[in-house]
Amino acid sequence: EVVDAVPRATAADLDAALAAAGRAWKEWREVDAWTRSAKVRRVADLFRERAARIAGVLTEEQGKTIPECLGEIRATADQFDWYADEARRIYGRVIDGHSRAQRLLVIRQPIGPVAAFAPWNFPALLSGRKIAPALAAGCSIIVKPPIEAPRTCLLMAEACHNAEIPP
């Protein structure tokens, strides 16, 4: 039975997504690591709070049992928690130069929008493993969800929006 309908992206939709990712990156890269960490952690909290709803959607899309879906959702939230912690640990380094008078400074900075493609078999977990580190590093991201299970990824995007991550 049909459980939902989702739009199919057009070339114009992709252009709009790329433009939005560029705008979001300019804003997101300027957010300090502690604030990024808090917002990424908020996504984890929202995923846990919404676990029952997300599990229902994941079961409809994937056919996994509710307990399996809940396990995937918990593991997905754990990814966001992990990378929320890592956001605060994006350290630079000072390296000795060729003489004692020289030092090299390495600064880790976000590189720009990220493109990610999610597979069908673990649509929440494997999308989360791409989204969480990109956000923690200060990059924006465009995710192409699996065509067989797109709604779970859309619920993750909703959680990111609700956590006030730039659209």
Side-chain angles (χ1 to χ4, degrees), residues 42-126:
R42 181 68 183 131
V43 176
D45 294 341
L46 290 169
F47 232 61
R48 287 186 184 100
E49 290 169 17
R50 299 170 181 176
R53 174 180 165 216
I54 298 167
V57 168
L58 186 52
T59 295
E60 287 176 346
E61 289 186 323
Q62 251 281 319
K64 293 179 184 175
T65 66
I66 292 291
E68 287 176 307
C69 292
L70 290 170
E72 182 174 345
I73 292 161
R74 283 190 296 274
T76 302
D78 289 346
Q79 291 294 308
F80 280 88
D81 274 337
W82 176 271
Y83 286 102
D85 291 338
E86 291 300 301
R88 297 181 298 187
R89 295 188 191 104
I90 300 177
Y91 304 127
R93 292 176 49 185
V94 176
I95 303 167
D96 286 339
H98 293 292
S99 74
R100 293 180 70 57
Q102 295 177 333
R103 301 251 183 202
L104 305 173
L105 176 62
V106 176
I107 300 171
R108 299 185 189 273
Q109 297 178 327
I111 60 168
V114 174
F117 300 85
W120 66 272
N121 55 337
F122 289 92
L125 179 60
L126 297 178

